[in-house]
Amino acid sequence: MSNATAEIVQISIATAKAAAKWGNNALISPTALGYQIHLSANEPLRSMQKAGRSLDNLGICQLQLAGSGWSKDLQWAFYQGFCNAKRHDGVAFNNEQGAAEQLVQLAQCFSFAKKMINETPEVLSPLALAEQAETFIRTIAPEGTVSSELISAEELANAGWHGIYQVGRGSSRPPALLVLDFNPGKDNSQSVAAALVGKGITFDSGGYSIKPTEGMATMKCDMGGAATVTAALALAILQGLNQRVKLILCCAENLISGHAYKLGDIITYKNGTTVEIVNTDAEGRLVLADGLMCASETKAPLIIDAATLTGAAMVAVGGEYNALFALDQPLATRALQYAANEQEATWQLPLQKWHQQQCPSPYADTANSRPVKGGGAGGASNAAGFLSRFVPNDGKGWLHFDLAAAFNNSANGYWAAGATGQGIRSIAAILLAETAAS
């Protein structure tokens, strides 16, 4: 061990319980070079993440995972607990099992997503979100494999993307639709294997259905879906993705002004569906509808959207799980297994075709919600039902992630406050496996 390495705090995995003087069943105890972690046999990953959180709370900024026993999953659990909103580095990974390079790639993609989600909305405008996502993918992808189109402001309405335009027109900073094409074969005749769609609401006041302060304070995270699918594409590229994939980000600020969309407005979408606005705070599904239709135009057999869409999903599954919705049950079953393989907690919630009818309107084909708090009972399923109106083939090949676990309002024993990155590994794994099988 070099002197420079020895000066860094060394973190090892203990094979025995901590000495009694450190407390009953202590999770960490000091050593001559740093600390050792005494893992729970029942929940090793959770106890490892808790140890990372505890060591961050001690003020340690840089450490080395040393010794033996460091599997990839244990190292990643530690990293997730140790990092906070102000620092996404400081962990020198252990390469005993040859996983260090993969872990560095994971950290690179998670760091991008977390920094974007935690960024102040004053800095991260809709256009800035789109531009930074494109720049990140270009830094990851081989040269010449990425092209893009950015449609903004009035051009959105002219192109028929009325959902994004209507939600974003109340802000002085224009809404935008990014369509990025990752084409590793550099062949425009190659079919698109998958399309990723992300909700990119850079700040959500709720519009005229305005949120209370406690509900609005963290709404910089409402572009978490866009950050998640961007990071997932980047991770898949780093892991060898060789299929053509389109990334579609629906970016807007949902603000109040004399030019903002209003309750009672009716939006007519490209596919002819008319939508009455009964809640301007149910805006995520309005922008995703455009993104899903844009994805449908690519003829991709796999469409995955991700969004911090409903509080109802958080009520249903809590803050540790993401919620998954699908009409294609065989695909959903595979997706849940991919997520489990990546150690990302994901739970499927109900979705049937009849959920499309759960938000009726006397003036349009559907309302965008129900005019009651939180959208009423089954709000997350009803939102997914709304989205299902805008996907092809009766939902075959489509997955919807409601990212209940993407952001924590405050720190707890396992996570720092802010973005978690939960969902990135799952979506990257689905993308790689399903496009390889197609």
Side-chain angles (χ1 to χ4, degrees), residues 308-321:
T308 49
L309 198 64
T310 66
M314 296 189 69
V315 171
V317 301
E320 293 282 349
Y321 281 77

Side-chain angles (χ1 to χ4, degrees), residues 110-133:
F110 271 66
S111 178
F112 162 80
K114 288 183 176 185
K115 286 178 180 177
M116 295 281 280
I117 295 169
N118 292 333
E119 183 59 271
T120 166
E122 178 60 27
V123 171
L124 196 70
S125 68
L127 280 172
L129 170 58
E131 290 165 354
Q132 290 183 38

